[in-house]
Amino acid sequence: MYSSDKIFSIINNYIATLAYDREPKSLYEPIKYVLSLGGKRIRPVLMLLAYNMYKDDPESILNQACGLETYHNYTLLHDDLMDSAPLRRGHQTVHEKWNANTAILSGDTMLVLAFERITRGNPSCLKALLDLFTVTALEIGEGQQLDMEFEHRNDVTEAEYIEMIRLKTSVLLACALKMGAMLGNASEKDANNLYLFGEKIGLAFQLQDDYLDVYGDPYVFGKQIGGDIISNKKTYMLINAFNKATQKQKEELNYWINKKDFDANKKIKAITKLYTEIGIDKLAIDKINRYFEESKIYLSKVSVNDKNKQELINFAQSLMHRKK
């Protein structure tokens, strides 16, 4: 069995050697740039770990794994453009380094490359892979649209938020695991249980992002703490703060949310204090842990021995205990 660290290294080396031989170079340079910025490579790592539970040659599906990573980075490129974000992983975003039109066109090309990389090698389960990937890509777009619509609503429920992050984040992790299982010739039952395992891990992962945005260490988290608070983003934290606040606490929350001119640090400090008083920090941790425990149920149903599951378990645990 390969360790997640070894798989991570293999993926990074493979991405670094991907050739972009087509013209014009100006279309492909931003793509190579985006993929060179690194990241956790969670999705291809999950795919190779799932595959490695069934077969001993995970390098054989690097095309498909990097296709999924190409797709993920395409969504980030377009998200950054929509959000007018200046930085991604400490580097200029594509629309800042080049321009918005380049970001749109290079992003669209990344989507095509993602499909092309997934189809390389002509695996016997190609149609099933493409069917899964197509539905996943549609769901992620649906999740992004819901996220944008939530910006203009003040009545977003917890259930709606959970469904949005399932679509926007969880389904791609689930897709990665199921693809790995399918390419490893796993049974349909195993592939489906790995998908459900990934969904639960994905929900816990995104909720942890919400938590770290408020309570993380800025030096470790790698980005500004309180960004969601400053932008009044409808997160699990904010939604439940309104659900559980006293009348006085609701008035203070509304004061900061409706205030147009404010000191960012004061707003972050005030709302964080309210979250702690209301108990949102503990509520979020409980929810994260609950999803993680639920994920284990699905993994336990996968019909490979525990030794073959261990690297996947270790990697999932590392995601749950991350600080950034």
Side-chain angles (χ1 to χ4, degrees):
M1 298 295 294
Y2 285 37
S3 70
S4 59
D5 286 343
K6 182 176 181 179
I7 284 174
F8 177 82
S9 178
I10 290 169
I11 290 165
N12 270 343
N13 291 337
Y14 187 80
I15 287 174
T17 62
L18 286 171
Y20 296 90
D21 301 326
R22 299 179 66 88
E23 299 287 345
K25 297 293 184 188
S26 54
L27 177 65
Y28 294 94
E29 282 172 5
I31 298 171
K32 192 170 184 178
Y33 169 77
V34 167
L35 286 168
S36 75
L37 297 182
K40 302 179 185 72
R41 309 296 194 202
I42 292 169
R43 292 136 194 96
V45 169
L46 286 173
M47 189 190 294
L48 266 64
L49 285 172
Y51 176 91
N52 199 202
M53 291 198 299
Y54 300 92
K55 292 193 173 182
D56 296 328
D57 58 341
E59 294 97 336
S60 69
I61 65 162
L62 279 167
N63 280 323
Q64 289 81 12
C66 290
L68 217 59
E69 183 70 357
T70 301
Y71 172 78
H72 172 60
N73 280 272
Y74 143 76
T75 66
L76 299 181
L77 191 159
H78 277 190
D79 281 359
D80 288 340
L81 177 61
M82 287 187 280
D83 295 341
S84 300
L87 298 175
R88 167 68 62 180
R89 296 170 184 146
H91 297 270
Q92 277 186 300
T93 47
V94 170
H95 66 274
E96 288 286 335
K97 188 173 174 65
W98 283 272
N99 54 60
N101 287 343
T102 297
I104 293 168
L105 193 56
S106 292
D108 291 346
T109 304
M110 286 182 82
L111 176 59
V112 178
L113 283 174
F115 274 94
E116 188 270 334
R117 286 168 179 164
I118 287 169
T119 62
R120 279 188 202 172
N122 193 27
S124 59
C125 57
L126 179 59
K127 184 181 185 305
L129 282 180
L130 287 176
D131 286 348
L132 171 61
F133 180 54
T134 301
V135 171
T136 301
L138 288 171
E139 288 178 324
I140 290 166
E142 291 159 2
Q144 176 66 11
Q145 180 64 31
L146 288 174
D147 195 18
M148 292 191 300
E149 289 177 4
F150 288 176
E151 292 176 14
H152 308 291
R153 286 180 50 194
N154 293 320
D155 60 346
V156 179
T157 65
E158 180 183 325
E160 286 179 307
Y161 179 73
I162 295 297
E163 175 61 5
M164 183 274 288
I165 64 173
R166 185 189 73 81
L167 292 168
K168 189 174 176 180
T169 301
S170 292
V171 295
L172 193 56
L173 273 64
C175 173
L177 285 156
K178 187 170 183 177
M179 275 190 176
M182 291 163 66
L183 288 162
N185 293 328
S187 69
E188 184 177 354
K189 183 178 178 182
D190 275 8
N192 288 336
N193 277 318
L194 281 165
Y195 184 93
L196 293 169
F197 166 76
E199 264 196 335
K200 296 296 184 181
I201 289 292
L203 291 172
F205 182 86
Q206 184 56 54
L207 290 178
Q208 192 173 45
D209 234 31
D210 291 357
Y211 176 86
L212 289 172
D213 189 82
V214 179
Y215 292 103
D217 181 335
Y219 296 104
V220 178
F221 192 41
K223 59 183 179 181
Q224 179 189 31
I225 294 298
D228 291 344
I229 290 174
I230 292 170
S231 63
N232 297 333
K233 189 173 177 64
K234 308 302 189 305
T235 64
Y236 180 85
M237 315 288 280
L238 183 59
I239 291 166
N240 278 289
F242 272 110
N243 286 343
K244 298 183 179 300
T246 64
Q247 187 57 39
K248 184 179 178 182
Q249 288 167 334
K250 282 181 183 176
E251 288 170 4
E252 189 173 354
L253 281 168
N254 278 315
Y255 167 80
W256 284 107
I257 285 169
N258 295 321
K259 193 172 175 60
K260 302 300 180 187
D261 298 314
F262 56 85
D263 179 288
N265 288 328
K266 285 184 178 177
K267 180 174 180 177
I268 292 167
K269 187 175 180 180
I271 291 187
T272 301
K273 184 172 179 285
L274 282 168
Y275 283 172
T276 304
E277 288 174 359
I278 297 166
I280 300 304
D281 52 338
K282 294 175 183 175
L283 191 73
I285 290 170
D286 286 346
K287 192 79 166 179
I288 291 164
N289 289 335
R290 194 177 317 146
Y291 281 131
F292 186 53
E293 290 304 313
E294 287 175 7
S295 76
K296 293 178 184 177
I297 296 170
Y298 294 109
L299 189 57
S300 70
K301 295 178 181 178
V302 175
S303 61
V304 299
N305 63 54
D306 289 345
K307 183 180 177 182
N308 283 18
K309 295 177 185 177
Q310 195 56 52
E311 283 301 328
L312 180 56
I313 292 168
N314 292 345
F315 185 66
Q317 287 176 333
S318 73
L319 295 180
M320 293 305 98
H321 296 116
R322 68 195 172 97
K323 301 298 181 183
K324 60 181 180 178

